[in-house]
Each structure stands twice: as structure tokens, then as C-alpha cells.
Amino acid sequence: MKTSHAFPAISKLLTVVLGAGASLAAHAQSSVTLYGILDSGIEYVTHAAKQGSGNVLRVNTGNRINSRWGLTGKEDLGGGLHSIFTLESGIAMNNGTLQQGGREFGRQAFVGLESDKFGTVMAGRQMTPMYRYFLALDPLNYSSYGLSAQDAQFVGRADNALEYLGHAGPFEFNALYSFGYDSTIANGAQVPGQFRVGKQVDLGGRYRQGPVNLTLAYEQRQGTSIASSGNSERRFVAGGSWEIGRTTLYGGYELLLNDVAATLADAAPQTMVFGGVRYQVTPQLQLSAGSYYHAYRMVSAHALSSGVNADYWLSKRTALYTDLTYVINSAKSTLSATGSTTPVATGANQLAVVAGIVQKF
């Protein structure tokens, strides 16, 4: 009798174990990852006012790498097809506030399908091809004094966007279409009956093989009012890098054309060329130097921003850094060392120095 009663118990136990095993196997085919980067430092900037005088010493955030936290996930659907998502929030470490206009997930917020054969399609708020591809081509490591300070669209994102990523051997392709690229401004999103208002189109491609990276990108953003919807900002960008042992050389070019009156102050028509070098001194220590020259097309003005930085990794997750940049403005130029975060008087030169710490998780 005891033996006969044992069989149902054993059967139930096996059912639970097998069920748990099947559940674990299902979960093993999907993953969700919590990640983040925290960056804070002490920054000193001269001529940090439009009146031309006034220096500032402050705790600042995202000097070396913009602080963020996020969730990213992937589920195996079989046949080389995966569902994916990313939710990424920008954080100002000096005061704990949200970045990117106060959006909860202002850095990225998308869901999509990824195919091993046919590439990836995503929908939501996403990085542009300029951002995605030129991350690898900034001699100053995409610090706050690098390409993002020269043109904010080097860290551009678009709301309401469909995006495609594909590859063929060493070639990669990226296309984006936004139905309204900025939902936080008036008419920056979809306007019924006015499909061109706030629309954005991006195309990008690169070749990466061995030590060589060659990249092209194009971006067009329409005006955000009905009256300006026929006008646009257009960017043509090219760049490349070449690794020689522990040294990497960088170079690039941007042509910015703009006939949207409302954005001329922040996106003045110009040509910009840049170049630089990065040297891996030891596995822990990296030194970089870069220069960015601007020639503005609507006024007789030019500017040169030159900087150096050093990164020392205490571990795989924690680094100390220091950056120094000096901007020389001609009489009609207003290029800031830090981009839009700190103004500078017309024609004034500006020095920016920062030292801080980065921690990844």
C-alpha cells in the first residue's frame, strides 16, 4: 500500500521538475539586461557668458560619456528571427534630473524585429545614422568637447521613427524615416494633412574591414511649421579611421545646408572638417587629440576647436578622465567648447577643462 501511494507522489514531482525545466528552457531563449553609465566631474570654462566675461567652475554631468540607464531585451522567435526592445533614460548626475527635454526614456525607446538574414526593423524614438556611425569616428571619443559640441545632430535622435539596419559582409546600411522628429515642440510631431511638417529622412552606410572604417551619412529635417515645411536642414557627412598598431587616425567632413529660419541660430550653414589621433599607451591608459575647423557660409566667420583627453581605466567598469579644449573664434563666430550647454560671446575664445570619473554597470 505504501508503494502504491508513492507512485502518484513521484509522478507529481516529475511533472513539476519537467515543467520547471521546460520553463527554464523557454526563458533561456530570451533575455532582459539592465545596464548603465554614470559620469560626473569638475569642469572649468572661461568666457561662459554671452557678454564675453565670466568664468564658471562647476560639477557637471556626462563630460566623458553621457550618463544613462536602460533595459534591453531579445527573444528568440525561431528561424533566425528575434524580437528586440530598448528603453534608455538619460540622467543628469549633478542634480538627478532627466535629460533629452525631460523624457522618461529620452535616449532610446523602441521595439522591433531582428533577422539574421534580412536585418533589423525598429519603431520608436531612435538614434540617427549620424549618431550610430560617427560614434566610432570622433578622435575625442565622443566626449562633450568632441563632435557633439560641433553639431548637436551628431547625437541626434528622432521621435516617431521607423529604422532599418542591414549588413552584407563588411558593408553596413542604416535608413531612418520619422513622421515627426520632435514631439516636444509645437508641430514637431505629426500634423494631420501636412505630411512634410517635422519629417526627417536619414541614410547611412559604412565599410569596416580590418583596420579601415569608411562612413557616409545624409540627413534631412523639414521645418516644423506648415509655412516652413518646404524648407529643410540637410547634412552630408563623411569620415574614416585607420588603425596602425596601437595608433588610430581619424578624419571627416560635414556640409550643413539650412534654409529653415527658426533653426539658423543652432544650425548655421557651414562646412566642418576634423581630424585627430588616438594612442593606446597601455591597456589602461589611452590618449587622444583632435581638431575641428568650421567655415560658416552665411557670414564671413570661422572657428577652430582643438582638444586633448586622457582616459585611465582602473578596472573594466571604472575610469578616470581629463579633457581640455580651446576654441578660437573669429570676430563673428560663436562656437562654444561645450556646444549648447555653455554660451560664448561673439568673437571670444574659450577654454574648457574637466576631470571626472566614469562607472559602468
Side-chain angles (χ1 to χ4, degrees):
M1 292 296 292
K2 291 182 180 179
T3 303
S4 63
H5 283 298
F7 281 117
I10 292 172
S11 176
K12 289 181 180 180
L13 178 61
L14 287 174
T15 300
V16 171
V17 171
L18 290 174
S23 177
L24 288 172
H27 284 294
Q29 297 174 12
S30 62
S31 64
V32 176
T33 302
L34 170 68
Y35 64 92
I37 300 173
L38 306 177
D39 177 329
S40 192
I42 302 294
E43 183 180 46
Y44 174 74
V45 184
T46 66
H47 297 130
K50 292 185 178 181
Q51 292 76 21
S53 61
N55 304 331
V56 62
L57 179 66
R58 62 192 176 190
V59 173
N60 207 0
T61 182
N63 311 288
R64 178 60 188 80
I65 306 175
N66 287 324
S67 300
R68 84 284 306 258
W69 74 274
L71 293 167
T72 186
K74 176 184 286 191
E75 181 182 9
D76 187 351
L77 302 176
L81 185 65
H82 309 268
S83 62
I84 60 172
F85 77 89
T86 294
L87 297 172
E88 189 173 277
S89 179
I91 312 165
M93 289 297 294
N94 57 328
N95 56 25
T97 58
L98 295 173
Q99 302 278 59
Q100 291 80 46
R103 295 174 172 88
E104 183 70 30
F105 295 105
R107 290 185 59 85
Q108 297 184 84
F110 67 83
V111 65
L113 292 173
E114 177 184 88
S115 168
D116 295 340
K117 286 186 178 180
F118 304 110
T120 303
V121 177
M122 302 167 290
R125 176 171 170 82
Q126 301 174 72
M127 299 165 61
T128 65
M130 274 181 64
Y131 191 172
R132 190 181 305 278
Y133 286 161
F134 278 82
L135 272 168
L137 294 178
D138 188 351
L140 292 186
N141 279 312
Y142 246 60
S143 72
S144 61
Y145 304 159
L147 280 176
S148 64
Q150 320 309 315
D151 181 353
Q153 280 308 107
F154 279 105
V155 288
R157 303 169 182 86
D159 293 339
N160 307 300
L162 294 176
E163 190 163 14
Y164 171 77
L165 290 168
H167 61 86
F171 295 95
E172 300 175 41
F173 314 96
N174 188 189
L176 177 146
Y177 180 84
S178 170
F179 295 86
Y181 69 81
D182 191 344
S183 299
T184 68
I185 62 175
N187 298 323
Q190 298 98 324
V191 177
Q194 302 292 334
F195 76 94
R196 289 193 300 179
V197 174
K199 299 305 175 284
Q200 179 169 332
V201 177
D202 292 74
L203 298 171
R206 68 180 171 186
Y207 170 87
R208 291 202 297 179
Q209 183 76 15
V212 177
N213 178 340
L214 300 174
T215 299
L216 296 171
Y218 170 76
E219 178 175 285
Q220 180 169 323
R221 303 201 302 174
Q222 302 301 124
T224 58
S225 67
I226 295 174
S228 67
S229 63
N231 301 335
S232 62
E233 297 176 26
R234 288 164 290 153
R235 290 170 171 84
F236 304 83
V237 192
S241 66
W242 183 26
E243 295 182 17
I244 309 170
R246 291 188 290 175
T247 302
T248 306
L249 304 177
Y250 299 89
Y253 169 87
E254 178 189 33
L255 171 62
L256 168 56
L257 304 176
N258 186 8
D259 55 9
V260 182
T263 64
L264 284 175
D266 296 323
Q270 62 170 301
T271 57
M272 189 265 291
V273 294
F274 68 90
V277 61
R278 191 179 303 164
Y279 182 64
Q280 194 73 44
V281 182
T282 69
Q284 294 77 33
L285 177 61
Q286 185 181 83
L287 302 178
S288 305
S291 288
Y292 312 80
Y293 175 78
H294 301 252
Y296 298 99
R297 301 170 66 89
M298 294 184 67
V299 294
S300 179
H302 61 269
L304 176 66
S305 177
S306 298
V308 294
N309 63 29
D311 299 314
Y312 186 81
W313 288 91
L314 302 172
S315 69
K316 290 183 178 180
R317 295 171 48 189
T318 304
L320 303 176
Y321 64 83
T322 182
D323 298 345
L324 182 151
T325 284
Y326 189 71
V327 176
I328 302 172
N329 282 303
S330 68
K332 297 180 181 180
S333 176
T334 58
L335 180 67
S336 169
T338 65
S340 61
T341 61
T342 307
V344 65
T346 302
N349 299 335
Q350 190 170 62
L351 171 70
V353 184
V354 66
I357 183 170
V358 168
Q359 216 277 335
K360 298 181 179 181
F361 64 88

